[in-house]
Amino acid sequence: MADHDLEQARATIAVPDHVPSPFGELRFFDGVPTDDSIATIYDMLDLNRAIEVYLNTIPGASLVAMRRGFRSVGVDGNTVLGFTAPRANSGSFFLTPNTETTYGSMFLDLRDGPLVVENPPNSLCVVDDFWFRYVADLGIAGPDRGAGGRYVLLPPGFDGPEPEGYVALRTPTITNWLIVRALGGVDDIRTTRVYPLAAADDPPAMTYVDMASRHFNTVHANDGTFFEEIDTLVQEEPPEALDPERTGQCASIGIVHGRPFAPDARMRRILEQGARLAAAACRALTYAPRDPAAYLYPGSNWLAVFPSGSYEFLRDHARLLDARAQFHYAATVITPAMAAAQVGAGSAYCYTAKDAAGAWLDGARHYRLHLPAGIPAKNFWSVDVYDTQTRSLLETDDPFPSVMSLDEAVTVNGDGGADVWFGPTAPEGREANWVQTVPGKSWFTILRLYGPLEPWFDGSWQPGEIEPISSGTHEAS
């Protein structure tokens, strides 16, 4: 190699004596950092790790917070199932629940061995593990095909024979989350049974708790206490329940299985800053993602929930980290049936926090959403409104801030389309198709199609953009 080539190589592999950074100038003596720069570099590295841990472990923190919220209203243990009757409302903080269906939910603890789950017939049920990864569908989308079934959930490391007479489900975590939607409503949900396999001959009685009338929080933290939520999970679960990369990220900021999480004052300050910065990033990812595939179609402000069509957030053998954070910051439940609905079955979703001009939706203004003729929903459609801060149902005079086609009062246009109105006051004569908003607050909305039809999948039907209108009028301005 010629001398000038060596000199050029030296320039590319060397570090200058002064390196500017957002944390202040970093200084070096012939490639060796000065003592004060070493401290700054480690502050920078720890802050970066804190941000990455937050972004990459939101799924787990979400379920830790949900379990804590459930426990606060008495939904705790393997024989207690909570439900929402008649359906979810804005009285509690839940990530984007719908107001159209009744749900049952509980956490399953496998610490004492396998658990049997008997799901209702004609139901849609999902089991996710404690890191919010898909374990199995039960019911219509599961092996029992809607007839109702008997499943046995086997704990991590279970090496015995699979019990006969059950569909065996294996999970990498001790705690798991069960969500039940029975098409027959509350009465069917209350037929769900969970009991230890060891007590199959004489199962203990179930307790069913109506959570809809309670007021509690199930949303994870956006400050430094987020990392305490993650530590709770890491301490409870086997280390191998999480991939080595994320386990290593957690360990780098002091969250290690079997060890106390005891950050000093310096580290607590960094963790607080990291959580705040990561939460800020999640706000951008959720409401204004930069992946073009996240948008329903070119020029639209409607956003897809699974931009790659994968419930594992995969595209071309790569994990879409932004898409995973985007989803879990605003939503719950992971199942392939959500990411890849089939024609006439399951449900399809899109959401937006912007109007047709790309401005943030303002609770003091009035808007109209036009759903063109031929709304591609075999069963029904709905539009729900949410608080951009809590990502929960918007708190208004109506505990069910939504419009849905199942409501007989909702007006359908002559061509079969529909208009939905938003604003602090109802447009005269349009009250049944109106959702109240709150001045001084932003909001976002989710359009859900239950039993989506071919025009949704081929893109020949598209929802209109949300158009600002003049107060008291019915026409777009």
Side-chain angles (χ1 to χ4, degrees):
M1 182 178 287
D3 289 346
H4 74 276
D5 292 333
L6 281 175
E7 287 306 310
Q8 186 176 13
R10 187 190 305 276
T12 64
I13 64 178
V15 62
D17 288 344
H18 301 275
V19 177
S21 86
F23 300 86
E25 186 177 71
L26 305 178
R27 292 174 296 167
F28 297 82
F29 170 70
D30 198 26
V32 180
T34 62
D35 288 345
D36 58 344
S37 290
I38 289 173
T40 302
I41 288 168
Y42 280 120
D43 283 351
M44 177 179 66
L45 185 60
D46 288 342
L47 178 60
N48 180 67
R49 294 273 168 77
I51 292 171
E52 289 301 314
V53 167
Y54 184 109
L55 293 173
N56 291 331
T57 63
I58 291 171
S62 186
L63 281 185
V64 169
M66 185 179 295
R67 186 183 65 175
R68 183 177 62 234
F70 279 21
R71 285 175 169 175
S72 74
V73 294
V75 179
D76 189 19
N78 288 332
T79 59
V80 183
L81 183 141
F83 64 93
T84 56
R87 52 195 190 278
N89 61 61
S90 60
S92 295
F93 294 153
F94 278 90
L95 292 178
T96 55
N98 73 64
T99 62
E100 295 77 53
T101 55
T102 302
Y103 282 96
S105 184
M106 65 185 295
F107 284 87
L108 310 175
D109 189 336
L110 302 177
R111 202 172 312 276
D112 295 327
L115 285 178
V116 175
V117 178
E118 295 185 8
N119 62 297
N122 205 26
S123 64
L124 292 164
C125 312
V126 179
V127 175
D128 289 326
D129 77 9
F130 208 22
W131 281 107
F132 229 138
R133 296 168 300 202
Y134 172 73
V135 175
D137 283 293
L138 290 61
I140 294 171
D144 66 273
R145 295 291 185 264
R150 293 202 309 168
Y151 297 80
V152 61
L153 197 59
L154 304 176
F158 182 85
D159 58 2
E162 293 186 353
E164 295 183 1
Y166 305 89
V167 176
L169 306 176
R170 293 186 177 270
T171 173
T173 59
I174 294 167
T175 295
N176 294 265
W177 184 47
L178 170 67
I179 188 83
V180 180
R181 190 181 84 175
L183 302 186
V186 174
D187 289 344
D188 282 357
I189 284 177
R190 290 167 64 97
T191 67
T192 305
R193 301 180 72 198
V194 176
Y195 50 86
L197 177 65
D201 292 337
D202 187 21
M206 290 287 293
T207 299
Y208 304 94
V209 176
D210 183 2
M211 300 187 293
S213 61
R214 312 293 181 90
H215 301 284
F216 58 103
N217 174 43
T218 70
V219 180
H220 64 77
N222 278 325
D223 60 12
T225 60
F226 175 95
F227 300 103
E228 296 172 12
E229 293 171 336
I230 294 302
D231 183 62
T232 295
L233 200 166
V234 168
Q235 298 307 326
E236 288 187 16
E237 297 295 340
E240 58 271 17
L242 188 63
D243 59 271
E245 194 76 17
R246 285 191 287 177
T247 300
Q249 288 179 340
C250 290
S252 72
I253 61 170
I255 300 175
V256 180
H257 180 80
R259 299 182 192 173
F261 177 51
D264 58 19
R266 166 192 164 273
M267 195 64 186
R268 286 196 178 278
R269 184 175 63 253
I270 288 173
L271 293 175
E272 179 71 22
Q273 184 181 17
R276 295 296 188 184
L277 290 172
C282 286
R283 300 286 171 159
L285 294 173
T286 300
Y287 301 125
R290 58 184 175 179
D291 180 359
Y295 293 83
L296 205 57
Y297 51 87
S300 176
N301 289 302
W302 286 103
L303 297 166
V305 178
F306 294 95
S308 67
S310 164
Y311 73 96
E312 295 179 297
F313 309 100
L314 295 173
R315 180 195 295 150
D316 299 330
H317 195 60
R319 184 90 60 201
L320 303 183
L321 302 180
D322 287 355
R324 182 175 65 189
Q326 172 193 356
F327 177 86
H328 282 288
Y329 195 71
T332 57
V333 186
I334 282 292
T335 167
M338 287 178 64
Q342 298 178 351
V343 175
S347 49
Y349 313 80
C350 59
Y351 73 99
T352 185
K354 293 183 177 181
D355 68 14
W360 298 117
L361 296 169
D362 182 345
R365 301 192 65 184
H366 294 76
Y367 301 89
R368 180 183 64 179
L369 165 63
H370 178 62
L371 302 177
I375 300 172
K378 177 182 176 182
N379 301 321
F380 65 97
W381 57 264
S382 68
V383 174
D384 293 90
V385 171
Y386 300 92
D387 184 322
T388 49
Q389 281 283 16
T390 65
R391 291 92 71 208
S392 304
L393 289 164
L394 186 66
E395 295 177 81
T396 69
D397 295 333
D398 182 354
F400 309 106
S402 62
V403 171
M404 61 176 169
S405 60
L406 289 178
D407 186 346
E408 295 180 356
V410 168
T411 301
V412 177
N413 299 336
D415 62 3
D419 291 297
V420 179
W421 309 83
F422 310 92
T425 58
E428 185 177 352
R430 305 286 187 176
E431 292 82 359
N433 287 44
W434 164 70
V435 184
Q436 184 180 12
T437 59
V438 180
K441 288 197 64 61
S442 188
W443 56 276
F444 70 102
T445 188
I446 298 179
L447 169 65
R448 292 178 171 91
L449 304 175
Y450 292 88
L453 300 175
E454 187 61 37
W456 169 261
F457 294 98
D458 64 21
S460 59
W461 185 91
Q462 298 172 348
E465 299 297 302
I466 297 179
E467 300 282 351
I469 61 171
S470 300
S471 177
T473 72
H474 297 165
E475 301 303 324
S477 59

